[in-house]
């Protein structure tokens, strides 16, 4: 039997009791004598008995599995992105502590009879108790179908509304403003931004924060100082290169991600400019790489694992004491917004005294 899975039927035969008695003993029912319970539990441990997940689901109507959909766009390696990796750590640790496993869905077009991509169908096929969305388009038709369903759904940096839906994010608005505050206090007046896609929550709010920071500092908003990237290195490099070619280039750049900030630093180096002597750069995220650059990157620190923890906790709260057969509450839970922190390192300094 050591090489085969022990079934509840086999456990009952070896214990000399019925299958029902084994089930009640292992699930803590009080109508089983202490001696019988002890014998069954001891034998189950010796045989490494594990209840069938499918059978348990039929009884409890729960799988204790959390689904995760992660999509950062075509051509980008999802699991290698440092931000999402740290968020997943927070999800895994928090959900795991509550006895939940994670199922990471492929974002490619599914096969095996699924037909075209459908979030609801895939969640129900695997009978997940809830799902976490990262990097998806909140306007996508399939996302809207999911949030209109009764499947508990939490977005990470994805603003969702629906029957059993909420989202978690960092205070991106405050972070964008803090970056400008820091640069303005150092004397910069020509502050540009490389923002993320404005159809994303982070991209839109960080750009809004940048504008708020300019207003607080009494600085004019200049269209030519606003460029867009996709949160990755190459787009940051290309956007910064365009900014540095202006007749009156900026003396500082706020990048909406650390990876785009790295691209901006590379663009400056390609023009023979030194950071921070000739150009100051601020990132956003505080990924592990940020502290190890030379010089270290000034950035806005997000609690990335904390975002994952908050997402998992919000999903667990939707599942606790809920009747799986009942419709979800029509009132969605309030979003969770985590604070950000300015981390000052070596890529920011007062502007050069003379123009370039």
């Amino acid at each position: 039997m050591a090489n085969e899975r022990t079934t509840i039927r086999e456990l009952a035969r070896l214990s000399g009791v019925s299958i029902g008695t084994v089930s009640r003993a292992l699930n803590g029912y009080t109508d089983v004598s202490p001696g019988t319970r002890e014998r069954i539990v001891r034998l189950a441990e010796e045989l490494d008995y594990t209840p069938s997940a499918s059978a348990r689901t039929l009884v409890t109507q729960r799988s204790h599995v959390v689904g995760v959909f992660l999509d950062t766009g075509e051509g980008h390696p999802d699991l290698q992105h440092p931000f999402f990796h740290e968020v997943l750590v927070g999800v895994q640790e928090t959900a795991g502590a509550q006895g939940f496993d994670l199922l990471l869905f492929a974002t490619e077009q599914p096969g095996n009879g699924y037909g075209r991509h459908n979030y609801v169908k895939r969640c129900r096929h695997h009978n997940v108790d809830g799902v976490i969305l990262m990097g998806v388009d909140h306007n996508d038709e399939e996302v809207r179908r999911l949030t209109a369903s009764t499947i508990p759904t939490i977005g990470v940096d994805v603003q969702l509304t629906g029957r059993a839906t909420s989202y978690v994010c960092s205070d991106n608005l405050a972070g964008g403003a803090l970056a400008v505050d820091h640069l303005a206090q150092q004397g910069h007046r020509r502050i540009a931004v490389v923002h993320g896609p404005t159809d994303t929550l982070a991209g839109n709010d960080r750009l809004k924060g940048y504008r708020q920071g300019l207003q607080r500092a009494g600085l004019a908003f200049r269209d030519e100082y606003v460029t867009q990237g996709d949160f990755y290195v190459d787009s940051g490099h290309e956007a910064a290169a365009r900014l540095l070619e202006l007749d009156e280039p900026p003396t500082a750049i706020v990048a909406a991600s650390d990876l785009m900030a790295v691209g901006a630093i590379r663009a400056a180096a390609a023009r023979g400019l030194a950071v921070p002597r000739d150009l100051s750069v601020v990132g956003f995220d505080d990924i592990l790489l940020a502290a190890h650059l030379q010089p270290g990157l000034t950035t806005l620190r997000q609690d990335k694992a904390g975002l994952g923890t908050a997402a998992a906790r919000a999903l667990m709260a939707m599942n606790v004491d809920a009747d799986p057969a009942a419709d979800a509450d029509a009132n969605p839970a309030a979003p969770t917004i985590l604070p950000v922190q300015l981390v000052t390192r070596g890529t920011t300094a007062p502007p050069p005294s003379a123009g370039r």
Side-chain angles (χ1 to χ4, degrees), residues 329-354:
D329 191 339
N331 298 315
T336 300
I337 301 177
L338 301 185
V340 298
Q341 175 188 0
L342 177 70
V343 180
T344 305
R345 297 193 180 102
T347 58
T348 51
S353 56

Side-chain angles (χ1 to χ4, degrees), residues 172-181 184 191-195 198 202-227 254:
N172 297 297
L173 194 68
L178 279 173
V180 177
D181 289 346
I191 303 172
V193 64
V194 181
H195 63 86
T198 53
N204 190 50
D205 281 357
R206 291 172 196 177
L207 177 57
K208 287 181 178 178
Y210 162 79
R211 298 188 69 147
Q212 284 187 5
L214 292 180
Q215 291 176 350
R216 290 203 302 228
L219 302 177
F221 180 85
R222 298 173 61 166
D223 288 336
E224 69 272 24
Y225 280 0
V226 180
T227 57
V254 174

Side-chain angles (χ1 to χ4, degrees), residues 237 241 244 263-274:
H237 183 280
L244 295 174
I265 293 171
R266 284 175 47 191
R271 292 181 65 86
L273 303 177

